[in-house]
Amino acid sequence: MADDLGDDWWENQPAGAASSPDASDGEGGNTEMMRQKTAPVPAMSKKTRQPKECFLIQPKETKEDVTKTRKRRKKKITDILAKSEPKPGTPEDLQELMKGYYSSNRSVIELEELNLPDSCFLKANDLTHSLSSYLKEICPKWVKLQRNHTEKKSVLMLIICSSAVRALELIRSMTAFKGDSKVMKLFAKHIKVQEQVKLLEKRVVHLGVGTPGRIKELVKQGGLNLNPLKFLVFDWNWRDQKLRRMMDIPEIRKEVFELLEMGVLSLCKSESLKLGLF
């Protein structure tokens, strides 16, 4: 009877059904077992497959992105000066910086009064001089001046620079000029202001080399009288490791202009004091 039903009957039977309508043993039963053994296993549906692990890939940085990042970076004074050629300072440079500094709190008329006459400026360094050769050029009668100077708590010449280390370098480099002149270090590093006041009171000093902040403090405390001063020289062209000149540093520039207001400008206008840019 199993043969009479044919293959269609087997295909329509659910899994686990009896081997025949009326028998579970015999030839028909063996045929059913063989069909179950040889029936192909259905493939796993795509819906039941395990999901694969997903990784987020960071987009590569393009040259355009790098260029935009570079453009956003604020330019520093070091970057600007590194691309510029060394250029000697001029009296006009000082005048322009003075106008820029005082313009925030001075009227137009007051700014005009700050203009210094050309006669108060010494010849500027053209970058070919050492300090000694420059000082000899701007002050050929130094030996006579320093012999006649007997007033304490004062100096004949002030050299203003940006740091104590630079001041020491300048003192060492002016040996050929100073001769037997008395030179004093006027900076704050390792030296208390009261010690400097006492030294100025005890002996005659011809040359002072230091920073504007300490010189300003000495003037304020009465330890240094500017009236006998004949020469004020700025260490204008020298650059530090960051390629900054003295007047490129905001703190130093501020102290310089505050010092100028403490009697220096009035001495320049009376032509008793000369300014030099080394």
Side-chain angles (χ1 to χ4, degrees), residues 43-62:
M44 185 180 291
S45 174
K46 292 183 179 180
K47 293 183 180 180
T48 60
R49 290 179 181 176
Q50 295 296 324
K52 295 183 178 179
E53 190 173 0
C54 180
F55 295 94
L56 294 177
I57 301 175
Q58 295 293 336
K60 293 184 179 180
E61 193 176 43
T62 62

Side-chain angles (χ1 to χ4, degrees), residues 75-100:
K75 287 186 177 180
K76 298 180 180 179
I77 186 68
T78 305
D79 301 329
I80 298 171
L81 292 175
K83 296 179 181 179
S84 63
E85 296 181 2
K87 185 179 178 182
T90 63
E92 290 76 17
D93 294 335
L94 178 57
Q95 297 271 40
E96 287 298 319
L97 286 176
M98 288 175 60
K99 287 181 181 179

Side-chain angles (χ1 to χ4, degrees), residues 21-256:
D22 54 355
S24 57
D25 295 329
E27 187 177 354
N30 292 336
T31 304
E32 171 61 17
M33 292 178 64
M34 289 177 64
R35 287 180 179 274
Q36 288 182 354
K37 289 181 181 180
T38 57
V41 179
M44 185 180 291
S45 174
K46 292 183 179 180
K47 293 183 180 180
T48 60
R49 290 179 181 176
Q50 295 296 324
K52 295 183 178 179
E53 190 173 0
C54 180
F55 295 94
L56 294 177
I57 301 175
Q58 295 293 336
K60 293 184 179 180
E61 193 176 43
T62 62
K63 291 183 179 180
E64 185 178 354
D65 296 332
V66 175
T67 305
K68 288 181 180 179
T69 304
R70 289 176 181 172
K71 286 181 179 179
R72 291 192 200 103
R73 188 168 65 90
K74 186 178 181 181
K75 287 186 177 180
K76 298 180 180 179
I77 186 68
T78 305
D79 301 329
I80 298 171
L81 292 175
K83 296 179 181 179
S84 63
E85 296 181 2
K87 185 179 178 182
T90 63
E92 290 76 17
D93 294 335
L94 178 57
Q95 297 271 40
E96 287 298 319
L97 286 176
M98 288 175 60
K99 287 181 181 179
Y101 177 80
Y102 294 119
S103 60
S104 60
N105 55 8
R106 301 292 176 93
S107 65
V108 177
I109 297 175
E110 288 174 328
L111 288 175
E112 290 178 356
E113 292 176 352
L114 290 173
N115 289 333
L116 297 173
D118 295 337
S119 58
C120 78
F121 286 98
L122 298 162
K123 183 179 179 181
N125 180 21
D126 59 0
L127 302 183
T128 62
H129 284 284
S130 65
L131 180 58
S132 286
S133 66
Y134 176 70
L135 296 179
K136 286 180 179 179
E137 181 176 351
I138 64 173
C139 185
K141 298 181 180 181
W142 173 252
V143 176
K144 183 179 179 180
L145 281 172
Q146 65 107 13
R147 283 177 182 172
N148 294 333
H149 180 63
T150 59
E151 189 173 344
K152 295 179 181 179
K153 297 174 65 175
S154 66
V155 294
L156 288 172
M157 180 182 291
L158 270 177
I159 301 175
I160 299 179
C161 57
S162 59
S163 67
V165 175
R166 178 58 179 166
L168 295 174
E169 291 176 358
L170 291 172
I171 291 172
R172 288 192 293 266
S173 66
M174 63 192 298
T175 304
F177 170 77
K178 69 177 183 177
D180 59 355
S181 303
K182 300 297 182 182
V183 182
M184 187 168 176
K185 297 175 285 188
L186 302 177
F187 49 76
K189 191 172 185 179
H190 306 312
I191 306 175
K192 295 180 180 179
V193 65
Q194 292 302 324
E195 293 177 4
Q196 292 169 332
V197 170
K198 290 179 181 179
L199 287 173
L200 288 167
E201 290 175 347
K202 288 181 180 179
R203 63 183 185 182
V204 175
V205 179
H206 305 99
L207 270 161
V209 184
T211 55
R214 175 48 60 93
I215 295 171
K216 185 182 69 174
E217 187 62 28
L218 288 168
V219 174
K220 184 178 178 180
Q221 295 194 18
L224 181 63
N225 179 17
L226 295 177
N227 289 329
L229 186 64
K230 300 300 179 185
F231 303 95
L232 179 61
V233 179
F234 295 103
D235 184 32
W236 191 276
N237 298 302
W238 181 81
R239 296 185 178 190
D240 62 13
Q241 291 181 345
K242 296 182 179 180
L243 302 179
R244 300 175 301 178
R245 295 164 296 187
M246 179 181 72
M247 299 300 278
D248 292 324
I249 304 172
E251 298 81 6
I252 301 296
R253 184 169 62 245
K254 179 177 180 291
E255 291 176 340
V256 166

